[in-house]
Amino acid sequence: GNSVTQMEGPVTLSEEAFLTINCTYTATGYPSLFWYVQYPGEGLQLLLKATKADDKGSNKGFEATYRKETTSFHLEKGSVQVSDSAVYFCALKYQAGTALIFGKGTTLSVSS
Amino acid sequence: GAVVSQHPSWVICKSGTSVKIECRSLDFQATTMFWYRQFPKQSLMLMATSNEGSKATYEQGVEKDKFLINHASLTLSTLTVTSAHPEDSSFYICSAISQAGGINEQFFGPGTRLTVL
């Protein structure tokens, strides 16, 4: 079945450090891929997405590239800020109108 | 962006009682809503898909008689945890699909923390 595996956290970084959160997926066909962020006390928010192979999603300095050959969608940011501290979820959707399937989430903590 | 609300944000109840959680799409109509359950340090697990005007579709292993879902209007879905027990304590999150402007995107509520004593 369809599933998402992302790196275990927590990830602790200093401000301006480089961030990578790994995400790989298992799916039949060609799913759409997403990264969601959950700030403390808030609901999940879409951070970025990619709908086909080699697409790059980007937002707020974060980016991720849909790699079909490695079934990966790693999240990266060149210089993290304290305000980026949150839980990040990788997710896939097999087709429009169906529910998202999530990874376990990775907690990021950035200190100044 | 579209807003999804949940009420209550947290609830504490005694074992054996029933608890109703509401999920509302505030500025869009949603024919489809989803209910997830999140355990500490774990992923969101899909419980059921709620379709307006029809019966919900439950995921394997989810008891439909225990987790009653009603999607009576295009802006409201409710999840009722019947005869709650401590093992039902969890974080329940709903989401709704907005198809406004041709964009098919899933928006999430802030979640409801249920604690069963």
Side-chain angles (χ1 to χ4, degrees):
Chain A
N2 301 326
S3 65
V4 176
T5 302
Q6 62 182 104
M7 64 186 288
E8 296 280 337
V11 175
T12 302
L13 296 174
S14 298
E15 206 165 23
E16 299 184 2
F18 184 85
L19 168 71
T20 299
I21 300 178
N22 290 338
C23 171
T24 57
Y25 68 90
T26 301
T28 53
Y30 306 99
S32 295
L33 301 175
F34 305 80
W35 276 100
Y36 279 81
V37 58
Q38 186 177 33
Y39 297 104
E42 298 184 18
L44 276 80
Q45 301 173 27
L46 177 64
L47 181 60
L48 54 84
K49 67 179 180 181
T51 58
K52 61 182 187 297
D54 299 326
D55 269 2
K56 178 185 285 188
S58 61
N59 185 26
K60 299 180 180 180
F62 292 89
E63 59 181 36
T65 301
Y66 189 144
R67 301 286 188 197
K68 181 173 178 290
E69 63 277 12
T70 54
T71 61
S72 65
F73 193 55
H74 304 323
L75 181 69
E76 296 181 336
K77 185 173 185 180
S79 176
V80 294
Q81 305 300 312
V82 173
S83 57
D84 294 327
S85 298
V87 182
Y88 292 81
F89 291 91
C90 186
L92 70 81
K93 177 181 289 193
Y94 186 61
Q95 61 185 33
T98 61
L100 289 156
I101 296 171
F102 289 89
K104 289 189 174 182
T106 302
T107 300
L108 171 65
S109 179
V110 181
S111 59
S112 58
Chain B
V3 179
V4 176
S5 70
Q6 281 184 242
H7 178 80
S9 56
W10 59 270
V11 57
I12 301 172
C13 69
K14 293 182 179 180
S15 186
T17 60
S18 295
V19 175
K20 178 184 286 188
I21 303 170
E22 295 185 346
C23 175
R24 294 181 185 272
S25 55
L26 297 185
D27 50 2
F28 65 100
Q29 293 183 328
T31 55
T32 302
M33 291 184 174
F34 304 101
W35 286 96
Y36 291 85
R37 182 174 179 177
Q38 185 180 25
F39 292 99
K41 299 184 179 181
Q42 294 193 28
S43 179
L44 283 75
M45 302 301 297
L46 179 66
M47 298 175 66
T49 301
S50 171
N51 296 300
E52 186 267 336
S54 64
K55 291 182 179 180
T57 303
Y58 290 82
E59 295 299 300
Q60 192 173 7
V62 178
E63 299 176 59
K64 62 180 181 181
D65 294 330
K66 179 167 189 63
F67 298 99
L68 300 179
I69 292 172
N70 184 285
H71 193 156
S73 77
L74 288 172
T75 59
L76 173 64
S77 175
T78 60
L79 168 68
T80 301
V81 183
T82 62
S83 186
H85 291 286
E87 59 265 29
D88 298 324
S89 298
S90 192
F91 195 56
Y92 293 87
I93 301 173
C94 75
S95 71
I97 291 180
S98 172
Q99 298 175 314
I103 299 174
N104 190 310
E105 185 173 338
Q106 197 167 331
F107 295 91
F108 288 82
T112 297
R113 172 75 60 192
L114 170 64
T115 301
V116 184
L117 302 177

